[in-house]
Amino acid sequence: MSTNPSSPSSSAGTNQSWGGRFTEPTDAFVARFTASVDFDRKLALHDIQGSRAHATMLARVGVLTDDERDAILTGLDEVQADIMAGTFEWSVELEDVHMNIEARLTDKIGITGKKLHTGRSRNDQVATDIRLYLRDEIDTVAAELARLRHGLIELAEREADTIMPGFTHLQTAQPVTFGHHLLAWHEMLARDHERLLDCRKRVNVMPLGAAALAGTTYPIDRHVTAELLGFDRPAENSLDAVSDRDFAIEFTAFSSLLLMHLSRMSEELVLWTSAQFAFIDLPDRFCTGSSIMPQKKNPDVPELVRGKTGRVYGHLMSLLTLMKSQPLAYNKDNQEDKEPLFDTLTTVQDCLKAFADMIPAIESKADNMREAARKGFSTATDLADYLVRKGVAFRDAHDIVGRSVAYGLREEKDLSDMSLDELRQFSDTIDDDVFEVLTLEGSVAARNHIGGTAPNQVRAAAQRAREALDSLSNGVTR
């Protein structure tokens, strides 16, 4: 073969999108090693969506004729139909989703198909595809997150009066209600939801038109393309537009926080379903059995969600490491952004679906929760507060109650089980009305302020949460 760069045969066997300056074909292993079509084909429909808008804009500014635009749009419709029907043949030799689609388009409509790439590069094309894809997936995640939040709110309302122990250091601390505890979970998810929608704003910026790194000499109108694709605006800087992956990192950071929250919930669900706690029951459809122990009912769904959290943490670290040393602008390293992002999306959506289905089906074991709340002197703080209201200094009240608890431990009696005479041996300030504050119901009802445990406050908080969720969802629905 001739090695003369001007020889028509010099690029034979090289990739049709860039082979003109090469004198030999890519090594077969290198072709496979550098190809991304096996995973970036997931972007196919969004790639076609971007190409439609690009062709429409090129015709509007006179770079393409109307006939050329129409041929391209018709051809893209046919290519999309092939992809959706599963008859599209993907080629590793064509490297990626973009060249596979362009090559098939050219097969269908001839040389006009080669004009589609005018004024753009695979660099801004892939950056646009990922943003289009992630934007749609964020909307799916947001819908599942909203469904989970609604389920939590409804369950909290149902369990507003169900008393359970509140814990610090996993030791019985003070009585709360199950509804109050569930709304604590909801607060975590509400913050996640806001983070997700805030992330979406930065995803919804269009790189297309930045070309390889420096823009294009063609008279493109990026505002037209942005409007056609539903972006808020075009990216301001061409160098940053093609090399930025902050939006993917930000989504994965959101996902890490979300999974951390779901993992904390999972840990409590696993504890609560155990025989040692027996606070709740999960329906059989969310559990599995043991191959050797017939009695087992394993909470596999929350356990697996807890386990998948580390997977998402790993993807966040992978993307941060991917970007930390890259000079401007685009580098081949960025091909490695897709698999961590795609897997994070799948993991988050699956975990949210599992929880959104499971949470409303939780059945509380109210008697067991109440009995557990009676143990561990959970109303000790209420007794101290009672003494303070009677004029005892708090530090003195703390000491009095501490000695009362020590007595209860020796006698194996809870504070509420002690007689008045037993309690008065520690302070003659204590009177008959003390038993009103030593009951579990009295304890939770006494915290009757916003954010408190009183059942009426739990119901009010649930209603506020529902209104805030509805307002948030209505504000971003497109």
Coordinates of all heavy atoms in Angstrom, one line a residue, residues 201-282:
K201 N -31.2 21.5 37.1 CA -31.0 22.8 36.5 C -29.7 22.9 35.8 O -29.5 23.5 34.7 CB -31.1 23.9 37.5 CG -32.5 24.1 38.2 CD -32.4 25.1 39.3 CE -33.7 25.1 40.1 NZ -33.6 26.1 41.3
R202 N -28.7 22.3 36.4 CA -27.3 22.4 35.8 C -27.1 21.3 34.7 O -26.3 21.4 33.9 CB -26.3 22.2 36.9 CG -26.1 23.6 37.7 CD -25.2 23.4 38.8 NE -25.8 22.7 39.9 CZ -26.7 23.2 40.8 NH1 -27.1 24.5 40.6 NH2 -27.1 22.5 41.8
V203 N -27.9 20.3 34.8 CA -27.9 19.3 33.7 C -28.5 19.9 32.4 O -28.1 19.7 31.3 CB -28.7 18.0 34.0 CG1 -28.9 17.1 32.8 CG2 -28.0 17.3 35.2
N204 N -29.5 20.8 32.6 CA -30.3 21.3 31.5 C -29.7 22.5 30.8 O -30.3 23.5 30.5 CB -31.7 21.7 32.0 CG -32.7 21.6 30.8 OD1 -32.6 20.8 29.9 ND2 -33.7 22.5 30.9
V205 N -28.4 22.4 30.5 CA -27.6 23.4 29.7 C -27.0 22.7 28.5 O -26.5 21.6 28.6 CB -26.5 24.0 30.6 CG1 -25.6 24.9 29.8 CG2 -27.1 24.6 31.8
M206 N -27.1 23.3 27.3 CA -26.8 22.6 26.1 C -25.4 22.8 25.6 O -25.0 24.0 25.3 CB -27.8 23.1 25.0 CG -27.6 22.3 23.7 SD -28.5 23.0 22.3 CE -27.5 24.4 21.9
P207 N -24.6 21.8 25.4 CA -23.2 21.9 24.9 C -23.2 22.0 23.4 O -22.2 22.5 22.8 CB -22.6 20.6 25.3 CG -23.5 19.9 26.3 CD -24.8 20.4 26.0
L208 N -24.2 21.5 22.7 CA -24.2 21.4 21.2 C -23.9 22.8 20.6 O -24.5 23.8 21.0 CB -25.5 20.9 20.7 CG -25.5 20.3 19.3 CD1 -24.6 19.1 19.3 CD2 -26.9 19.8 18.9
G209 N -23.0 22.8 19.6 CA -22.5 24.1 19.0 C -21.1 24.4 19.5 O -20.5 25.2 18.8
A210 N -20.7 23.8 20.5 CA -19.3 24.0 21.0 C -18.3 23.2 20.0 O -17.1 23.5 20.0 CB -19.1 23.5 22.4
A211 N -18.9 22.3 19.2 CA -18.1 21.5 18.3 C -17.0 20.7 19.1 O -17.2 20.2 20.2 CB -17.5 22.3 17.2
A212 N -15.8 20.6 18.5 CA -14.7 19.8 19.2 C -14.3 20.5 20.5 O -14.1 19.9 21.5 CB -13.6 19.6 18.2
L213 N -14.1 21.8 20.4 CA -13.7 22.6 21.6 C -13.8 24.1 21.4 O -13.8 24.8 22.4 CB -12.2 22.3 22.0 CG -11.1 22.9 21.2 CD1 -9.8 22.8 22.0 CD2 -10.9 22.3 19.8
A214 N -13.8 24.6 20.2 CA -13.7 26.0 19.9 C -14.9 26.6 19.1 O -14.8 27.7 18.6 CB -12.4 26.3 19.1
G215 N -16.0 25.9 19.1 CA -17.1 26.4 18.3 C -16.9 26.1 16.8 O -16.1 25.3 16.4
T216 N -17.7 26.7 16.0 CA -17.7 26.4 14.6 C -17.8 27.7 13.8 O -18.3 28.7 14.2 CB -18.9 25.5 14.2 OG1 -18.9 25.3 12.7 CG2 -20.2 26.1 14.6
T217 N -17.3 27.7 12.5 CA -17.3 28.8 11.7 C -18.7 29.0 10.9 O -18.9 30.0 10.3 CB -16.2 28.8 10.6 OG1 -16.3 27.6 9.9 CG2 -14.8 28.8 11.3
Y218 N -19.5 27.9 11.0 CA -20.8 28.0 10.4 C -21.7 28.9 11.2 O -21.6 29.1 12.4 CB -21.4 26.6 10.3 CG -20.7 25.7 9.4 CD1 -19.8 24.8 9.9 CD2 -20.8 25.7 8.0 CE1 -19.0 23.9 9.1 CE2 -20.1 24.9 7.1 CZ -19.2 24.0 7.7 OH -18.4 23.2 6.9
P219 N -22.7 29.5 10.5 CA -23.6 30.5 11.2 C -24.7 29.9 12.0 O -25.9 30.1 11.7 CB -24.1 31.3 10.0 CG -24.2 30.3 8.9 CD -23.0 29.5 9.0
I220 N -24.3 29.0 12.9 CA -25.4 28.3 13.7 C -26.1 29.2 14.6 O -25.6 30.3 15.0 CB -24.7 27.1 14.4 CG1 -23.7 27.6 15.4 CG2 -24.1 26.1 13.5 CD1 -23.2 26.5 16.4
D221 N -27.3 28.8 15.0 CA -28.0 29.5 16.0 C -28.3 28.6 17.2 O -29.2 27.8 17.2 CB -29.4 30.0 15.4 CG -30.1 31.0 16.4 OD1 -29.9 30.9 17.6 OD2 -30.9 31.8 15.9
R222 N -27.5 28.7 18.2 CA -27.5 27.7 19.3 C -28.8 27.9 20.2 O -29.3 27.0 20.8 CB -26.3 27.8 20.2 CG -25.0 27.5 19.5 CD -23.8 27.6 20.4 NE -23.8 26.5 21.4 CZ -23.4 26.7 22.6 NH1 -22.9 27.8 23.0 NH2 -23.4 25.6 23.4
H223 N -29.3 29.1 20.2 CA -30.6 29.3 20.9 C -31.7 28.6 20.3 O -32.6 28.0 21.0 CB -30.9 30.8 21.0 CG -29.9 31.6 21.9 ND1 -30.0 31.6 23.2 CD2 -28.9 32.4 21.5 CE1 -29.0 32.3 23.7 NE2 -28.3 32.8 22.7
V224 N -31.7 28.5 19.0 CA -32.8 27.7 18.3 C -32.7 26.2 18.7 O -33.7 25.6 19.0 CB -32.7 27.8 16.8 CG1 -33.5 26.8 16.1 CG2 -33.1 29.3 16.3
T225 N -31.5 25.7 18.6 CA -31.3 24.3 19.0 C -31.6 24.0 20.4 O -32.3 23.0 20.7 CB -29.8 23.9 18.7 OG1 -29.3 24.4 17.5 CG2 -29.7 22.4 18.7
A226 N -31.2 24.9 21.3 CA -31.6 24.8 22.7 C -33.1 24.7 22.9 O -33.6 23.9 23.7 CB -30.9 25.9 23.5
E227 N -33.8 25.6 22.2 CA -35.2 25.7 22.4 C -35.9 24.4 21.9 O -36.8 23.8 22.5 CB -35.8 26.9 21.7 CG -37.3 27.0 21.8 CD -37.8 28.2 21.1 OE1 -37.0 29.0 20.6 OE2 -39.1 28.4 21.1
L228 N -35.4 23.9 20.7 CA -35.9 22.7 20.2 C -35.7 21.5 21.1 O -36.6 20.5 21.1 CB -35.3 22.4 18.8 CG -35.6 23.3 17.7 CD1 -34.7 23.1 16.5 CD2 -37.1 23.1 17.3
L229 N -34.6 21.5 21.8 CA -34.3 20.3 22.7 C -34.8 20.5 24.1 O -34.6 19.7 25.0 CB -32.8 20.1 22.7 CG -32.2 19.5 21.4 CD1 -30.7 19.5 21.4 CD2 -32.8 18.2 21.0
G230 N -35.4 21.7 24.4 CA -35.9 21.9 25.8 C -34.9 22.3 26.8 O -35.1 22.2 28.0
F231 N -33.7 22.7 26.3 CA -32.7 23.2 27.3 C -33.0 24.6 27.7 O -33.6 25.4 27.0 CB -31.3 23.2 26.6 CG -30.7 21.8 26.5 CD1 -30.5 21.2 25.3 CD2 -30.3 21.1 27.6 CE1 -29.9 19.9 25.1 CE2 -29.7 19.9 27.5 CZ -29.5 19.3 26.3
D232 N -32.5 25.0 28.9 CA -32.8 26.3 29.4 C -31.9 27.3 28.7 O -32.4 28.5 28.5 CB -32.4 26.4 30.9 CG -33.4 25.6 31.8 OD1 -34.6 25.4 31.3 OD2 -33.1 25.2 32.9
R233 N -30.7 26.9 28.3 CA -29.8 27.9 27.6 C -28.7 27.1 27.0 O -28.4 25.9 27.4 CB -29.3 28.9 28.5 CG -28.5 28.3 29.7 CD -27.9 29.4 30.6 NE -27.2 28.8 31.8 CZ -25.9 28.5 31.8 NH1 -25.2 28.6 30.6 NH2 -25.4 28.0 32.8
P234 N -27.9 27.7 26.0 CA -26.7 27.1 25.6 C -25.6 27.3 26.6 O -25.6 28.3 27.3 CB -26.4 27.8 24.2 CG -27.6 28.7 24.0 CD -28.3 28.9 25.2
A235 N -24.6 26.4 26.6 CA -23.4 26.6 27.4 C -22.7 27.8 27.0 O -22.6 28.1 25.8 CB -22.6 25.3 27.4
E236 N -22.1 28.5 27.9 CA -21.5 29.8 27.6 C -20.1 29.7 27.0 O -19.7 30.5 26.2 CB -21.3 30.6 28.9 CG -22.6 31.2 29.4 CD -23.1 32.4 28.6 OE1 -22.3 33.0 27.9 OE2 -24.3 32.8 28.7
N237 N -19.3 28.6 27.4 CA -18.0 28.5 27.0 C -17.7 27.2 26.3 O -18.0 26.1 26.8 CB -17.0 28.6 28.2 CG -15.6 28.6 27.8 OD1 -15.0 27.6 27.6 ND2 -14.9 29.8 27.8
S238 N -17.2 27.2 25.0 CA -17.1 26.0 24.2 C -16.1 25.0 24.8 O -16.3 23.8 24.8 CB -16.6 26.4 22.8 OG -15.4 27.0 22.8
L239 N -15.0 25.5 25.5 CA -14.0 24.6 26.1 C -14.7 23.8 27.2 O -14.6 22.6 27.4 CB -12.8 25.4 26.6 CG -11.9 26.0 25.6 CD1 -10.9 26.9 26.2 CD2 -11.1 24.9 24.8
D240 N -15.4 24.6 28.1 CA -16.0 23.9 29.2 C -17.2 23.0 28.8 O -17.4 22.0 29.4 CB -16.5 25.0 30.2 CG -17.2 24.4 31.4 OD1 -16.5 23.7 32.2 OD2 -18.4 24.6 31.6
A241 N -17.9 23.4 27.7 CA -19.1 22.7 27.3 C -18.8 21.3 27.0 O -19.5 20.4 27.3 CB -19.7 23.4 26.1
V242 N -17.7 21.0 26.3 CA -17.4 19.7 25.8 C -16.6 18.8 26.9 O -16.6 17.6 26.9 CB -16.5 19.6 24.6 CG1 -17.3 20.3 23.4 CG2 -15.2 20.4 24.8
S243 N -16.0 19.5 27.9 CA -15.2 18.8 28.9 C -15.9 18.7 30.2 O -15.4 17.9 31.1 CB -13.9 19.5 29.0 OG -14.0 20.8 29.5
D244 N -16.9 19.4 30.5 CA -17.6 19.4 31.8 C -18.3 18.1 32.0 O -19.1 17.7 31.2 CB -18.6 20.6 31.9 CG -19.5 20.5 33.1 OD1 -19.0 20.1 34.2 OD2 -20.7 20.7 32.9
R245 N -18.1 17.5 33.2 CA -18.9 16.3 33.6 C -19.3 16.6 35.1 O -19.7 15.6 35.8 CB -18.1 15.0 33.5 CG -17.8 14.6 32.1 CD -19.0 14.3 31.2 NE -18.7 13.9 29.9 CZ -18.5 14.7 28.8 NH1 -18.6 16.0 29.0 NH2 -18.3 14.2 27.7
D246 N -19.3 17.8 35.5 CA -19.8 18.1 36.8 C -21.2 17.6 37.1 O -21.5 17.2 38.1 CB -19.7 19.7 37.1 CG -18.3 20.2 37.2 OD1 -17.4 19.4 37.1 OD2 -18.2 21.4 37.4
F247 N -22.0 17.8 36.0 CA -23.4 17.4 36.2 C -23.6 15.9 36.5 O -24.4 15.5 37.3 CB -24.2 17.8 34.9 CG -23.8 17.1 33.7 CD1 -24.4 15.9 33.3 CD2 -22.7 17.6 32.9 CE1 -24.0 15.2 32.1 CE2 -22.3 16.9 31.7 CZ -23.0 15.7 31.4
A248 N -22.7 15.1 35.9 CA -22.7 13.6 36.2 C -22.2 13.4 37.6 O -22.8 12.5 38.3 CB -21.9 12.9 35.2
I249 N -21.2 14.1 38.0 CA -20.7 13.9 39.4 C -21.7 14.4 40.4 O -21.9 13.7 41.4 CB -19.4 14.7 39.5 CG1 -18.3 14.1 38.6 CG2 -18.9 14.7 41.0 CD1 -17.0 14.9 38.6
E250 N -22.4 15.5 40.1 CA -23.4 16.0 41.0 C -24.5 15.1 41.2 O -25.0 14.9 42.3 CB -23.9 17.4 40.5 CG -24.8 18.1 41.5 CD -25.2 19.5 41.0 OE1 -24.7 20.0 40.0 OE2 -26.0 20.1 41.8
F251 N -25.0 14.5 40.0 CA -26.0 13.5 40.2 C -25.6 12.3 41.0 O -26.4 11.8 41.8 CB -26.5 13.0 38.8 CG -27.6 12.0 38.9 CD1 -28.9 12.3 39.2 CD2 -27.2 10.6 38.8 CE1 -29.9 11.3 39.3 CE2 -28.2 9.6 38.9 CZ -29.5 10.0 39.2
T252 N -24.4 11.8 40.8 CA -23.9 10.7 41.5 C -23.7 11.0 43.0 O -23.9 10.2 43.9 CB -22.6 10.2 40.9 OG1 -22.7 10.1 39.5 CG2 -22.2 8.8 41.5
A253 N -23.3 12.3 43.3 CA -23.2 12.8 44.7 C -24.6 12.8 45.3 O -24.8 12.3 46.5 CB -22.6 14.1 44.7
F254 N -25.6 13.3 44.6 CA -27.0 13.2 45.1 C -27.4 11.8 45.3 O -28.0 11.4 46.4 CB -28.0 13.8 44.0 CG -29.3 13.1 44.0 CD1 -30.3 13.4 45.0 CD2 -29.6 12.1 43.1 CE1 -31.5 12.7 45.0 CE2 -30.8 11.4 43.1 CZ -31.8 11.7 44.0
S255 N -27.0 10.9 44.4 CA -27.4 9.5 44.6 C -26.7 8.8 45.8 O -27.3 8.0 46.5 CB -27.0 8.7 43.3 OG -27.6 9.2 42.2
S256 N -25.5 9.3 46.1 CA -24.8 8.7 47.2 C -25.5 9.2 48.5 O -25.6 8.4 49.5 CB -23.3 9.2 47.2 OG -22.6 8.7 46.1
L257 N -25.9 10.4 48.6 CA -26.6 10.9 49.8 C -28.0 10.2 49.9 O -28.4 9.7 51.0 CB -26.9 12.4 49.7 CG -25.7 13.3 50.1 CD1 -26.0 14.7 49.7 CD2 -25.6 13.2 51.6
L258 N -28.7 10.0 48.8 CA -30.0 9.3 48.8 C -29.8 7.9 49.3 O -30.5 7.4 50.2 CB -30.6 9.3 47.4 CG -31.8 8.5 47.2 CD1 -33.0 9.0 48.1 CD2 -32.2 8.4 45.8
L259 N -28.8 7.2 48.7 CA -28.6 5.8 49.1 C -28.1 5.7 50.6 O -28.4 4.7 51.3 CB -27.6 5.1 48.2 CG -28.2 4.3 47.0 CD1 -28.9 3.1 47.5 CD2 -29.1 5.1 46.2
M260 N -27.4 6.7 51.0 CA -27.0 6.7 52.4 C -28.2 6.8 53.3 O -28.4 6.1 54.3 CB -26.0 7.9 52.7 CG -25.6 8.0 54.2 SD -26.7 9.1 55.1 CE -26.2 10.7 54.5
H261 N -29.2 7.6 52.9 CA -30.4 7.7 53.7 C -31.2 6.4 53.6 O -31.7 5.9 54.6 CB -31.2 8.9 53.2 CG -30.6 10.2 53.5 ND1 -30.8 11.3 52.7 CD2 -29.9 10.6 54.5 CE1 -30.1 12.4 53.2 NE2 -29.6 12.0 54.3
L262 N -31.4 5.9 52.4 CA -32.1 4.6 52.3 C -31.4 3.5 53.1 O -32.1 2.6 53.6 CB -32.2 4.2 50.8 CG -33.1 5.1 49.9 CD1 -33.1 4.6 48.5 CD2 -34.5 5.3 50.5
S263 N -30.1 3.6 53.1 CA -29.3 2.5 53.9 C -29.6 2.7 55.4 O -29.7 1.7 56.1 CB -27.8 2.7 53.6 OG -27.1 1.7 54.3
R264 N -29.7 3.9 55.9 CA -30.0 4.1 57.3 C -31.4 3.6 57.6 O -31.6 2.9 58.6 CB -29.9 5.6 57.7 CG -28.5 6.2 57.6 CD -28.5 7.6 58.1 NE -28.8 7.8 59.5 CZ -29.0 8.9 60.1 NH1 -28.9 10.1 59.4 NH2 -29.2 9.0 61.4
M265 N -32.3 3.9 56.7 CA -33.7 3.3 56.9 C -33.7 1.8 56.8 O -34.3 1.1 57.6 CB -34.6 3.8 55.8 CG -34.8 5.4 55.8 SD -35.7 5.9 54.3 CE -35.3 7.6 54.2
S266 N -32.9 1.3 55.9 CA -32.8 -0.2 55.8 C -32.3 -0.8 57.1 O -32.8 -1.9 57.5 CB -31.9 -0.6 54.6 OG -32.4 -0.1 53.4
E267 N -31.3 -0.2 57.7 CA -30.7 -0.7 58.9 C -31.8 -0.8 60.0 O -31.8 -1.8 60.7 CB -29.5 0.1 59.4 CG -28.9 -0.3 60.7 CD -28.1 -1.5 60.6 OE1 -27.9 -2.1 59.5 OE2 -27.7 -2.0 61.7
E268 N -32.6 0.2 60.1 CA -33.6 0.2 61.1 C -34.7 -0.9 60.8 O -35.2 -1.6 61.6 CB -34.2 1.5 61.3 CG -33.2 2.5 61.9 CD -33.8 3.9 62.2 OE1 -34.6 4.4 61.4 OE2 -33.6 4.3 63.4
L269 N -35.0 -1.0 59.5 CA -36.0 -2.0 59.1 C -35.5 -3.4 59.4 O -36.3 -4.3 59.9 CB -36.3 -1.9 57.6 CG -37.1 -0.6 57.2 CD1 -37.2 -0.5 55.7 CD2 -38.5 -0.6 57.8
V270 N -34.3 -3.6 59.1 CA -33.7 -5.0 59.4 C -33.8 -5.2 60.9 O -34.1 -6.3 61.3 CB -32.2 -5.0 58.9 CG1 -31.6 -6.3 59.4 CG2 -32.2 -5.0 57.4
L271 N -33.4 -4.2 61.7 CA -33.5 -4.4 63.2 C -34.9 -4.7 63.6 O -35.2 -5.6 64.5 CB -32.9 -3.2 63.9 CG -31.4 -3.0 63.9 CD1 -31.0 -1.6 64.4 CD2 -30.7 -4.1 64.6
W272 N -35.8 -3.8 63.1 CA -37.2 -3.9 63.6 C -37.9 -5.2 63.2 O -38.9 -5.5 63.9 CB -37.9 -2.7 63.1 CG -37.5 -1.4 63.6 CD1 -36.7 -1.1 64.7 CD2 -37.9 -0.1 63.1 NE1 -36.5 0.2 64.9 CE2 -37.2 0.9 63.9 CE3 -38.7 0.4 62.1 CZ2 -37.3 2.3 63.7 CZ3 -38.8 1.7 61.8 CH2 -38.1 2.7 62.7
T273 N -37.5 -5.8 62.2 CA -38.1 -7.1 61.8 C -37.6 -8.3 62.5 O -38.1 -9.4 62.5 CB -38.0 -7.3 60.3 OG1 -36.6 -7.3 59.9 CG2 -38.7 -6.3 59.4
S274 N -36.5 -8.1 63.2 CA -35.8 -9.2 64.0 C -36.7 -9.6 65.1 O -37.5 -8.8 65.7 CB -34.4 -8.8 64.4 OG -34.5 -7.8 65.5
A275 N -36.5 -10.8 65.6 CA -37.3 -11.3 66.8 C -37.0 -10.5 68.0 O -37.8 -10.4 68.9 CB -37.0 -12.8 67.0
Q276 N -35.7 -10.0 68.1 CA -35.3 -9.2 69.2 C -36.0 -7.9 69.4 O -36.2 -7.4 70.5 CB -33.8 -9.0 69.2 CG -32.9 -10.2 69.4 CD -33.0 -11.2 68.3 OE1 -33.3 -10.8 67.1 NE2 -32.8 -12.5 68.6
F277 N -36.4 -7.3 68.3 CA -37.2 -6.1 68.3 C -38.7 -6.3 68.0 O -39.5 -5.9 68.8 CB -36.7 -5.1 67.2 CG -35.5 -4.3 67.7 CD1 -34.2 -4.8 67.7 CD2 -35.6 -3.0 68.1 CE1 -33.1 -4.1 68.1 CE2 -34.6 -2.2 68.5 CZ -33.3 -2.8 68.5
A278 N -39.0 -7.0 66.9 CA -40.4 -7.3 66.5 C -41.3 -6.1 66.5 O -42.4 -6.1 67.1 CB -40.9 -8.4 67.4
F279 N -40.8 -5.0 66.0 CA -41.6 -3.8 65.9 C -42.5 -3.7 64.7 O -43.5 -3.1 64.7 CB -40.6 -2.6 65.8 CG -40.0 -2.2 67.1 CD1 -40.2 -2.9 68.3 CD2 -39.2 -1.0 67.2 CE1 -39.6 -2.5 69.5 CE2 -38.6 -0.6 68.4 CZ -38.8 -1.4 69.5
I280 N -42.0 -4.3 63.6 CA -42.8 -4.3 62.3 C -42.8 -5.6 61.7 O -42.0 -6.5 62.0 CB -42.3 -3.2 61.4 CG1 -40.8 -3.6 60.9 CG2 -42.3 -1.8 62.0 CD1 -40.3 -2.8 59.7
D281 N -43.7 -5.7 60.7 CA -43.7 -6.9 59.8 C -43.7 -6.4 58.4 O -44.4 -5.5 58.0 CB -44.9 -7.8 60.1 CG -44.8 -9.1 59.3 OD1 -43.7 -9.7 59.3 OD2 -45.8 -9.6 58.8
L282 N -42.8 -7.1 57.5 CA -42.8 -6.8 56.1 C -43.6 -7.9 55.4 O -43.4 -9.1 55.7 CB -41.4 -6.7 55.6 CG -40.5 -5.6 56.1 CD1 -39.1 -5.7 55.5 CD2 -41.1 -4.2 55.7

